[in-house]
Amino acid sequence: NETIAVVGLGYVGMPLAEKVAKSGYPLIGIDIDEGKVQELRSNAPHLNREPSDNNWAKTPVTASSDFDLITEVSTVIICVPTPVDENKWPDLSIVEAACTSVASRLQRGQLVILESTVNPGVTESVVIPALENGSGLIAGQDFQVAHCPERINPGDTKWDVSNIPRVVGSLSESGLRRAVDFYESVIEAEIRPMGTLKEAEAVKIVENAFRDINIAFVNELALSFSRLGIDVVKVIEGASTKPFAFMPHMPGCGVGGHCIPVDPYYLIHYAKANGFDHDFLSLARRINERMPEFTANLVSEGLNEIGKAASQGTVALLGMTYKPDVADDRESPSHIIQDCLMQMGMRVITFDPHSPEHSSAASVEEALDHADVALIATAHASFAGLRSADFVNKGVRVVVDGRNCLPKDELLEAGLIYKGIGR
Ligand code: SAJ
């Protein structure tokens, strides 16, 4: 008799909504974007449970932009974006708007779960006040609140919403029990109850800040080793032979996406507001944010090595999204690199097979036509497959490998100038 509402049908909410329905819960998927509503509506026929005893258990799936439907459900799960603004400050306006829309429909006995990534304290300082003020109900008594940070990894075919372990925190024991029971009925992986809401909020921030500092570590090594004539990739691969206590990360032209470059700022600002400076996290962010400019300078150096000033150079910028074979360009370093190259006076031709809207060329071949320099900014499979002939035959003289994804020795043997990130 539990009906579930999922508010926000993006890269987090949509897979969750589908998994909820496949688990047999009547589902109401809500989004302000009619396109997302239609997407769920068209997926609905496939969301029925596996046939059992030769009869399909038809699970009702409703997709709508009407928040009034929330009055009919037992649990509301909020999966909306939590970006940062241009000053890297957390932008909680979308979470707040979603909570306000839920609040005016909130019913006694309901459980509200926030999956959006937020810094510790946000559920208590933003989500609960919005829900209480808009409903006149009291959290922990009239309704329950929990936080279960999302862990979707876009493009990952191995780990998805059905098998990624989760952590859950709540305002009350009964809220925690309800949330854990719900997720255990939907997800085939460990559901770890946390002691408080803040602990659950901190888990997600910590796991992503952990990734950011590790990337910053190898990026700093790349900056250092490029002066020492040491191939940092070979060193990391060598260190990876150690079967314990080493976790390889790779240097690159920058850190993009809606998680890794964003989440640390949530903790940095929250801690600063409470009197503590995360110098280490801030330094890691500064190192990672320096990589796009470092990469643009490699392009400029390459042009100089073929006797051209930056302003005389043409660059094929290959890859505009933030991650291989993913169409998402949010916080992508490619945009910063493009700006740097244009500020240096270069002519920049862009191509990304996953992002036509950010491509000025229609193909790699077209982008490489008349280019002096080819810059790989995203290691899409189609780019990693490029070989020296692809460049030499187009008259390209310099290859800047922003993701260290090309065969350096083969390109050098073909007479190309190769510049990797730390190799
Ligand atoms: N990157 C590097 N070097 C690395 C790894 C990544 O420069 O060694 C860059 C990527 O090129 C990209 C950015 O960092 O621009 C982020 O890459 P990512 O692989 O971390 O991709 P995301 O942003 O999709 O991160 C997600 C996160 N998942 C969640 O937040 C639920 C993160 O926690 C995961 O660790 C990550 O996927 C993953 O492992 O793939």
Side-chain angles (χ1 to χ4, degrees):
N1 60 350
E2 298 251 352
T3 300
I4 311 296
V6 175
V7 174
L9 299 172
Y11 79 91
V12 173
M14 188 65 83
L16 174 66
E18 296 185 2
K19 190 67 177 73
V20 163
K22 286 179 179 172
S23 302
Y25 287 103
L27 168 78
I28 296 179
I30 295 174
D31 201 297
I32 57 175
D33 175 346
E34 270 308 321
K36 296 288 183 194
V37 172
Q38 287 306 327
E39 185 183 342
L40 177 58
R41 207 167 274 158
S42 59
N43 292 350
H46 314 303
L47 294 182
N48 297 308
R49 296 170 70 178
E50 295 307 312
S52 59
D53 308 327
N54 296 323
N55 65 322
W56 286 88
K58 280 269 180 215
T59 306
V61 173
T62 307
S64 172
S65 55
D66 179 3
F67 278 80
D68 285 345
L69 294 173
I70 280 172
T71 57
E72 301 169 17
V73 306
S74 59
T75 302
V76 184
I77 309 173
I78 299 173
C79 309
V80 295
T82 47
V84 286
D85 62 24
E86 62 282 354
N87 301 315
K88 305 294 184 190
W89 275 90
D91 174 2
L92 297 170
S93 60
I94 304 170
V95 165
E96 219 158 359
C99 291
T100 302
S101 299
V102 168
S104 55
R105 287 86 176 184
L106 198 58
Q107 304 296 308
R108 285 181 189 284
Q110 284 181 329
L111 166 63
V112 179
I113 302 171
L114 177 73
E115 285 215 356
S116 308
T117 302
V118 292
N119 59 266
V122 166
T123 304
E124 286 157 287
S125 63
V126 173
V127 171
I128 289 173
L131 292 172
E132 290 185 328
N133 298 338
S135 66
L137 300 176
I138 298 171
Q141 295 177 31
D142 301 328
F143 67 97
Q144 298 300 340
V145 178
H147 177 58
C148 180
E150 60 89 4
R151 280 180 168 168
I152 295 294
N153 180 21
D156 194 328
T157 52
K158 178 182 177 195
W159 296 105
D160 62 31
V161 67
S162 60
N163 62 6
I164 295 173
R166 307 291 291 272
V167 298
V168 183
S170 181
L171 199 59
S172 67
E173 268 310 306
S174 57
L176 184 63
R177 180 44 44 211
R178 270 181 70 177
V180 169
D181 287 351
F182 164 71
Y183 281 105
E184 283 180 343
S185 69
V186 172
I187 293 171
E188 295 90 45
E190 181 190 1
I191 306 300
R192 174 71 61 89
M194 303 302 290
T196 63
L197 282 166
K198 282 191 177 75
E199 282 179 6
E201 291 162 329
V203 162
K204 175 65 186 290
I205 300 291
V206 163
E207 57 199 32
N208 281 357
F210 172 83
R211 191 162 174 79
D212 195 48
I213 58 176
N214 275 281
I215 297 168
F217 170 55
V218 292
N219 278 336
E220 184 175 79
L221 287 176
L223 299 175
S224 162
F225 285 17
S226 54
R227 293 172 178 272
L228 305 177
I230 300 171
D231 184 325
V232 74
V233 173
K234 287 198 167 44
V235 171
I236 293 165
E237 286 167 352
S240 302
T241 59
K242 181 179 178 186
F244 49 85
F246 183 79
M247 183 188 275
H249 288 74
M250 286 298 161
C253 57
V255 175
H258 40 273
C259 303
I260 308 306
V262 167
D263 294 353
Y265 282 115
Y266 273 64
L267 179 54
I268 290 166
H269 289 308
Y270 180 61
K272 192 170 185 64
N274 288 274
F276 181 80
D277 290 327
H278 272 287
D279 298 335
F280 181 40
L281 297 186
S282 301
L283 174 60
R285 283 280 76 237
R286 284 201 302 277
I287 291 169
N288 288 336
E289 287 167 1
R290 213 165 90 196
M291 297 313 287
E293 187 180 356
F294 171 77
T295 305
N297 288 333
L298 291 178
V299 175
S300 179
E301 285 168 21
L303 284 169
N304 295 162
E305 288 170 29
I306 61 172
K308 286 199 169 187
S311 58
Q312 298 167 308
T314 298
V315 187
L317 173 51
L318 303 180
M320 298 304 288
T321 67
Y322 83 90
K323 188 174 185 177
D325 302 317
V326 161
D328 193 341
D329 74 307
R330 278 176 291 180
E331 305 286 325
S332 172
S334 302
H335 295 307
I336 303 166
I337 293 169
Q338 183 177 6
D339 291 345
C340 288
L341 297 175
M342 294 173 77
Q343 281 164 18
M344 292 173 180
M346 296 176 204
R347 179 169 168 263
V348 182
I349 313 295
T350 60
F351 175 69
D352 188 317
H354 299 278
S355 182
E357 67 274 22
H358 293 111
S359 300
S360 55
S363 66
V364 177
E365 293 71 24
E366 184 183 320
L368 292 175
D369 271 342
H370 316 303
D372 303 298
V373 183
L375 165 53
I376 309 287
T378 315
H380 293 317
S382 55
F383 296 160
L386 292 170
R387 292 294 175 265
S388 55
D390 299 305
F391 302 111
V392 172
N393 295 344
K394 289 283 183 178
V396 171
R397 303 272 306 283
V398 180
V399 174
V400 176
D401 188 359
R403 295 297 176 191
N404 293 330
C405 63
L406 295 176
K408 168 183 167 184
D409 295 338
E410 194 244 345
L411 298 183
L412 289 172
E413 280 159 24
L416 290 161
I417 294 172
Y418 175 92
K419 293 178 180 293
I421 307 296
R423 72 193 285 244

